[in-house]
Amino acid sequence: MYNTLLEPITQDVAYTWLCKQRKHFPASSDVWHFRAHYPEQRPALVQSLANGSYRFAPMNQVRLKEKTVHVWPAQEALVLKMLSLSVFKHLDAAKEISLNAYHIQNNGGIKRAINRVQAKINDYPFVFNTDVKGFYENIQHDALMETLSTVIPDTRILDLIEQSVRRSVTGGGLYRDIKKGIPRGSSLSPLLGALVLRDLDIAMSRIKGIYYCRYMDDWTVLCPTRGKLRHVIKTTHKVLNRLALTLHPDKTYLGKTAKGFEFLGYHFMPKEEQTENESPPGQPPAPSSPTTDAPPQSKGGLQVAKPTMMRALTKLLQLYEQGKPIEACRLYWQRFTRWALSKIENKRAIFEQLSKIELLLYTTKLQKEIRHEIFNRFNACG
C-alpha cells in the first residue's frame, strides 16, 4: 500500500490535480513557488516519505471577504492527494467502502443517489431522513483513527493521516492545535468522512428489508414498517453516540413518505400511478402544482426543494439589486436550471417547475415590483 503512494504515476496524478485546483489562486500563493521548484524538490520529498521522516506543515488561516478558511500549503496538499489516491485504491480493492455511500468515487455520485431514492420511494411507506450536526467540525480524532486502523494495515500511512488530522493552524503570527474535526477542502477529507460513518453503513446493511442511501453525512432510510423505522432510529443513535456525533435537529425527518421529505436539495414524493381517465382511489392529490395543462403523470415525484429554490431566487434578486444586467440574471437562472435538471433522469416535472420562472425572466424586465410575483410563481409550483 505504501508503495502505491511512492509510485511515479501517483505523484504525477496528484501534481496535475494540484495545478488544476489552484490555477486561479492569487500571485501571492505559495503554489506558484512550489510549481516553479517542484522538479528539483521532488526527489527530496519522495525520500522523506519513503524513510518516514515527512512532517506536515501547519495550515494557513486565510481571511476572505465573507469568511475565514484554512488552506494547506501546496506541498501538503500534494501529499494529501497522493494519500487519498493510495488509500482509495486499497479500500476499493478490499471492498471496505459501502456501495450505498454515493459520494465516494465510482459509487455514482449525487445523481445516482437521487434517482435511486426516487425509484424506491413508492415501495416503502416510512422514511428516516437526517444528517449530522457539524459533521466535519465534530469528528473525534481518536474514534477516526480507531476506525482507520481496522481497514488500513500500513502504519506509515496511518501516521501520515494522523498528522493531517491532528493538525495545527497558523494565522497572524499565532499557532493553535486543532483538537477535533477534519479540514474542509482537503482531498482526503471525503474519504475520511466516509470511513467515520462506516459503522453506520455496516449496521444498516444488517437490517433486512430497508433501503439505505448516504451521501457524506446526509442519509435517508426507507422502511417497510413502523417497527423497522424504530429499529433504524435506535441503531442510528447507538452508532452516533459511540462516535460522539449528534443528529441535526432541524434536518431530521421521520414519518410517512407520502408526506414528502427533502434530501440533497430535492423534495421527494411518491409518484402517483394513474391512467388518463382514472385517478388512484382513496388517495389525496399530491401537493405538487396542479396546473391545467400538466398531465396526470406529473403529480408527485421529484421536485426541487423549497429552501433550495428560495436561495436561488434570493440570489437572482440580489444580482438585479447589485445593478447586474438582465442578461446576467438570465444566465444565472439558466445555470441553476441546468444544475437542477442534470441530477435526475425524469426531467419533465422539474422542467415545468423551473420554466415558469424562466419564462417570466424572458417576458419582463426584472424589477423590484415583480419580486413578489417571482416568489408567488414558485409557490404556485408547489
Side-chain angles (χ1 to χ4, degrees), residues 148-163:
L148 293 178
S149 64
T150 64
V151 295
I152 299 177
D154 197 314
T155 57
R156 294 169 296 179
I157 293 289
L158 290 173
D159 175 66
L160 290 173
I161 294 176
E162 187 165 13
Q163 286 187 54

Side-chain angles (χ1 to χ4, degrees), residues 36 45 75 94 119 130 142 148 169 187 194 210 240 248 274 300 308 315 320-321 329 350 362 376 381:
L45 173 62
Q75 180 170 282
T130 188
D142 291 338
L148 293 178
V169 175
S187 59
I210 66 169
L240 294 187
H248 199 299
Q274 60 184 45
T308 305
K315 176 65 176 179
Y320 169 77
E321 292 171 355
C329 299
I350 292 184
Y362 275 95
N376 288 337
C381 297

Side-chain angles (χ1 to χ4, degrees), residues 214-277:
R214 178 166 73 89
Y215 193 90
M216 188 53 76
D217 64 319
D218 197 348
W219 67 90
T220 289
V221 188
L222 300 175
C223 304
T225 64
R226 291 185 185 274
K228 289 287 187 180
L229 180 63
R230 287 192 290 267
H231 186 191
V232 165
I233 296 171
K234 182 179 179 181
T235 302
T236 299
H237 283 292
K238 184 178 179 180
V239 172
L240 294 187
N241 287 341
R242 188 166 64 249
L243 298 173
L245 298 172
T246 57
L247 297 179
H248 199 299
D250 298 330
K251 298 181 180 179
T252 298
Y253 172 78
L254 56 99
K256 295 183 178 180
T257 55
K259 294 182 177 180
F261 61 93
E262 293 175 5
F263 181 54
L264 300 178
Y266 290 82
H267 185 79
F268 293 80
M269 287 282 291
K271 192 175 177 96
E272 294 183 6
E273 297 291 341
Q274 60 184 45
T275 61
E276 291 186 17
N277 302 319

Side-chain angles (χ1 to χ4, degrees), residues 37-272:
H37 297 278
Y38 178 67
E40 59 261 30
Q41 292 179 355
R42 177 172 175 170
L45 173 62
V46 174
Q47 180 62 30
S48 64
L49 289 170
N51 59 30
S53 63
Y54 185 82
R55 292 295 177 265
F56 278 82
M59 298 185 75
N60 297 314
Q61 182 173 294
V62 180
R63 190 177 299 278
L64 304 178
K65 289 183 179 180
E66 300 178 353
K67 59 182 179 179
T68 299
V69 297
H70 299 161
V71 180
W72 283 110
Q75 180 170 282
E76 278 60 36
L78 176 73
V79 173
L80 286 170
K81 183 60 178 180
M82 293 166 60
L83 268 175
S84 67
L85 292 171
S86 57
V87 171
F88 176 77
K89 184 176 181 180
H90 165 75
L91 296 177
D92 189 47
K95 306 298 181 183
E96 294 286 358
I97 300 177
S98 170
L99 295 177
N100 292 322
Y102 287 97
H103 64 283
I104 295 298
Q105 181 182 354
N106 300 333
N107 278 9
I110 188 172
K111 180 175 181 178
R112 181 168 175 80
I114 291 170
N115 288 319
R116 289 293 293 167
V117 172
Q118 185 59 31
K120 295 284 187 179
I121 191 173
N122 277 66
D123 300 330
Y124 298 89
F126 301 100
V127 61
F128 174 56
N129 171 246
T130 188
D131 72 0
V132 177
K133 184 177 181 180
F135 180 53
Y136 271 26
E137 295 79 6
N138 291 304
I139 291 176
Q140 303 297 315
H141 294 166
D142 291 338
L144 173 61
M145 296 311 301
E146 181 180 350
T147 300
L148 293 178
S149 64
T150 64
V151 295
I152 299 177
D154 197 314
T155 57
R156 294 169 296 179
I157 293 289
L158 290 173
D159 175 66
L160 290 173
I161 294 176
E162 187 165 13
Q163 286 187 54
S164 70
V165 169
R166 303 184 191 275
R167 64 204 182 279
S168 297
V169 175
T170 179
L174 301 176
Y175 290 80
R176 60 188 179 93
D177 295 330
I178 305 299
K179 302 299 183 182
K180 66 176 180 178
I182 59 177
R184 293 183 177 273
S186 168
S187 59
L188 186 61
S189 292
L191 196 56
L192 297 182
L195 292 173
V196 166
L197 294 177
R198 180 173 177 269
D199 289 347
L200 180 67
D201 297 337
I202 294 174
M204 291 298 139
S205 68
R206 293 172 178 168
I207 303 177
K208 304 299 182 182
I210 66 169
Y211 178 72
Y212 167 70
C213 173
R214 178 166 73 89
Y215 193 90
M216 188 53 76
D217 64 319
D218 197 348
W219 67 90
T220 289
V221 188
L222 300 175
C223 304
T225 64
R226 291 185 185 274
K228 289 287 187 180
L229 180 63
R230 287 192 290 267
H231 186 191
V232 165
I233 296 171
K234 182 179 179 181
T235 302
T236 299
H237 283 292
K238 184 178 179 180
V239 172
L240 294 187
N241 287 341
R242 188 166 64 249
L243 298 173
L245 298 172
T246 57
L247 297 179
H248 199 299
D250 298 330
K251 298 181 180 179
T252 298
Y253 172 78
L254 56 99
K256 295 183 178 180
T257 55
K259 294 182 177 180
F261 61 93
E262 293 175 5
F263 181 54
L264 300 178
Y266 290 82
H267 185 79
F268 293 80
M269 287 282 291
K271 192 175 177 96
E272 294 183 6

